[in-house]
Amino acid sequence: MNVSRDGDSRSAPIGRIRKAPENFVTPDLRAEISSAGLDSERRGFLRRSFLAAAAALAAGPSLARAAESDPMILQPRPWSTKLGNPVASSPYGQPSSFESNLQRRQSPGLTPTPQASVAFAPLQGFFGIITPSGLHFERHHQGWVDVDPEQHRLMINGMVKEAKVYTMDDLMRLPSVSRMHFIECGANTGMEWGNAAVPTVQYTHGMLSCCEFTGVPLKTLLDDCGADLKNAKFVLAEGNDGSSMTRTISMEAALDDVIVAWGMNGEMLRPENGYPLRLVVPGVQGVSWVKWLRRIEVGDQPWNTKDETSHYVDMMPDGIHRQYTSIQEAKSVITTPSGGQALMGKGFYNVSGLAWSGRGKIKQVDVSFDGGSNWKTARLETPVLDKCLTRFNIDWVWDGSPVILQSRATDSTGFVQPRYRQLREVRGTRSTYHNNAIQSWQVDESGEVFNVQMD
Ligand code: MTE
């Protein structure tokens, strides 16, 4: 395998690696990312993990170090010899000050205005599958709004027996469900279509989050209004922000698992994520999860609104745009170790990542440590749920030589996540949306991890 990171993307043979181009990553961004992608805390964490594992390998089954060598356990720490803070001094709990580097981040220069923009979730710092509410990614077309729930209304109209308007109180009296689902923007990994463009997993895959959502099934409301289910084929969802976001959704999905949600991770939605009401459309690209939801219209054909003709359509190799390709297909990514991080030495590592599919459950994740020549099956951590993130882990002992790490998801329909070459054969190279290709991370001899692309 050729491990040079130089080379032209289009002529590179299989197994050749491409370097992230310098032009996307400004010096400022590089400085920000090197301090944010792997701060001293996280480096320390990796170093400690390595030391613990090395000790384990040397000393047999026990992970413990000899107590006499570590003053941190022998001598009292400042916090063990004084009174702590009073209860409720932080009435709404905040993360530890030692974790302040874990933030949603914008990609400088990606969008002309901060309102029509995106803030990426720091996937490299997450455990398990739930995204903390304050770190959920944000994607707005016209900025976020803080809607007064007393003034908020949801109207259901169109092909219904009786058009109705609901208050939040009306909705929250109805029978509710709570379900865990991922949301992924159709543009996630969009910058990587041409080449390995950005340095960290936060920027390659961070338009992705996963929460427990609570609300009333859309079917309940359609039944309540007497939707004409014989003739109606679609619903249109409309938001209440300045962008008037409108998306057509198939009636099949609407009657299946779509939720009109007010809850996220056990509390009301955050304003950035649609407070007080958003649509949850499991498995479908994020744009259809209309925030600040104000209206559902029932109809017999798609609406072709501005948000479904100029955006979120796929430019195919023949130059024709493909429309309404909404399902987010099987995809996975290794989050630790990932771009911008560094391994602190040879030895044991727990390689960890996320896998998901808009068509069902994750059945298997395979991991390669040699750029795709050989694959090993990873452990899937429970729960493994429908249209939800699945956490995978696999043991690895790094021998100090350069390697390429990859993960490949297979979902319950048997669909296997494609390599870049396979994706481009069908889709060409002019798309922005729906990139679910296998992600490669190169580990150099120094232990530094880089975003690279393999065909
Ligand atoms: N709904 C409204 N009303 N306005 C918007 O700008 N953005 C959409 C969707 N719903 C948007 C919206 C897009 S493109 C995505 S990817 C998701 O919301 C992002 O949801 P989040 O900000 O909660 O992550």
Side-chain angles (χ1 to χ4, degrees):
M1 181 171 55
N2 184 342
V3 290
S4 151
R5 275 182 286 112
D6 296 307
D8 173 42
S9 51
R10 274 142 304 222
S11 60
I14 297 174
R16 186 121 183 247
I17 311 306
R18 298 181 206 137
K19 189 179 178 185
E22 303 298 325
N23 58 0
F24 179 82
V25 187
T26 59
D28 282 356
L29 177 58
R30 190 173 288 288
E32 184 199 350
I33 286 160
S34 50
S35 65
L38 184 72
D39 58 13
S40 55
E41 274 304 301
R42 214 143 292 269
R43 278 176 188 274
F45 173 76
L46 286 173
R47 182 183 281 121
R48 282 195 296 279
S49 313
F50 167 68
L51 288 174
L57 290 177
S62 168
L63 274 175
R65 289 183 245 171
E68 48 292 358
S69 68
D70 193 346
M72 298 294 167
I73 189 73
L74 290 177
Q75 285 157 24
R77 301 285 90 209
W79 40 86
S80 62
T81 55
K82 63 171 191 189
L83 208 54
N85 297 305
V87 294
S89 37
S90 171
Y92 192 99
Q94 299 296 313
S96 159
S97 60
F98 297 102
E99 297 297 327
S100 61
N101 218 11
L102 202 67
Q103 295 175 1
R104 300 191 272 228
R105 288 178 193 277
Q106 274 182 271
S107 184
L110 183 63
T111 56
T113 67
Q115 281 82 17
S117 194
V118 53
F120 297 83
L123 304 185
Q124 70 278 6
F126 294 165
F127 313 111
I129 56 174
I130 291 293
T131 306
S133 299
L135 294 174
H136 194 291
F137 84 96
E138 291 176 60
R139 170 77 179 100
H140 320 301
H141 288 234
Q142 195 87 347
W144 63 270
V145 285
D146 200 4
V147 171
D148 177 354
E150 293 285 325
Q151 297 180 41
H152 192 69
R153 301 287 182 272
L154 173 68
M155 177 160 90
I156 310 240
N157 69 331
M159 294 171 67
V160 292
K161 215 176 261 162
E162 188 190 354
K164 287 192 179 176
V165 173
Y166 299 85
T167 65
M168 286 304 297
D169 285 341
D170 295 336
L171 293 169
M172 292 173 78
R173 286 176 64 177
L174 294 171
S176 66
V177 294
S178 294
R179 306 248 165 79
M180 278 150 68
H181 290 297
F182 77 82
I183 165 172
E184 182 183 25
C185 181
N188 199 23
T189 325
M191 290 180 280
E192 304 286 301
W193 265 107
N195 209 331
V198 290
T200 70
V201 72
Q202 178 156 11
Y203 295 102
T204 58
H205 288 76
M207 282 197 256
L208 171 73
S209 294
C210 182
C211 296
E212 184 194 64
F213 294 98
T214 298
V216 57
L218 178 55
K219 182 176 185 316
T220 305
L221 300 178
L222 293 176
D223 288 346
D224 189 42
C225 297
D228 175 2
L229 297 182
K230 262 204 192 116
N231 299 304
K233 299 275 176 292
F234 301 94
V235 298
L236 181 80
E238 181 182 84
N240 207 1
D241 52 328
S243 78
S244 298
M245 169 65 68
T246 36
R247 290 290 305 183
T248 299
I249 294 156
S250 75
M251 186 58 85
E252 200 188 342
L255 297 177
D256 181 15
D257 50 7
V258 173
I259 305 170
V260 173
W262 52 80
M264 183 167 108
N265 291 341
E267 60 181 356
M268 289 299 286
L269 287 157
R270 296 287 169 95
E272 304 94 300
N273 307 113
Y275 176 90
L277 208 59
R278 92 172 299 167
L279 208 59
V280 167
V281 193
V284 168
Q285 61 179 337
V287 65
S288 295
W289 295 47
V290 172
K291 299 188 277 191
W292 313 292
L293 180 70
R294 71 184 293 270
R295 193 168 70 90
I296 299 275
E297 186 175 333
V298 179
D300 55 4
Q301 38 195 315
W303 278 262
N304 285 311
T305 66
K306 67 173 171 45
D307 296 308
E308 35 200 27
T309 43
S310 58
H311 298 129
Y312 306 94
V313 288
D314 301 318
M315 170 79 97
M316 299 301 279
D318 60 4
I320 292 177
H321 278 107
R322 192 172 70 164
Q323 211 184 358
Y324 294 124
T325 43
S326 343
I327 307 275
Q328 296 299 109
E329 299 202 301
K331 187 165 169 181
S332 68
V333 67
I334 293 171
T335 51
T336 315
S338 58
Q341 297 187 323
L343 304 181
M344 305 312 289
K346 297 177 195 172
F348 177 86
Y349 290 92
N350 177 52
V351 173
S352 188
L354 294 165
W356 61 100
S357 167
R359 295 198 190 277
K361 290 190 173 67
I362 287 298
K363 193 168 85 187
Q364 185 170 321
V365 177
D366 298 305
V367 172
S368 174
F369 299 97
D370 58 8
S373 302
N374 295 286
W375 296 89
K376 285 183 180 164
T377 300
R379 298 189 304 276
L380 300 187
E381 307 303 337
T382 53
V384 176
L385 300 172
D386 230 29
K387 304 172 188 176
C388 184
L389 292 188
T390 296
R391 171 66 63 177
F392 65 87
N393 287 303
I394 187 165
D395 298 349
W396 178 48
V397 177
W398 184 45
D399 66 7
S401 54
V403 290
I404 308 280
L405 304 182
Q406 298 177 324
S407 64
R408 182 182 66 192
T410 304
D411 72 13
S412 45
T413 70
F415 179 94
V416 182
Q417 185 181 0
R419 304 166 65 118
Y420 265 101
R421 188 181 43 140
Q422 294 168 313
L423 190 68
R424 288 187 178 121
E425 267 165 20
V426 179
R427 303 272 309 280
T429 53
R430 290 191 285 167
S431 275
T432 306
Y433 304 103
H434 308 120
N435 177 356
N436 66 330
I438 289 173
Q439 169 68 38
S440 304
W441 301 119
Q442 174 168 351
V443 182
D444 272 359
E445 271 166 354
S446 66
E448 299 277 329
V449 187
F450 297 91
N451 178 15
V452 293
Q453 246 185 46
M454 295 189 66
D455 285 342

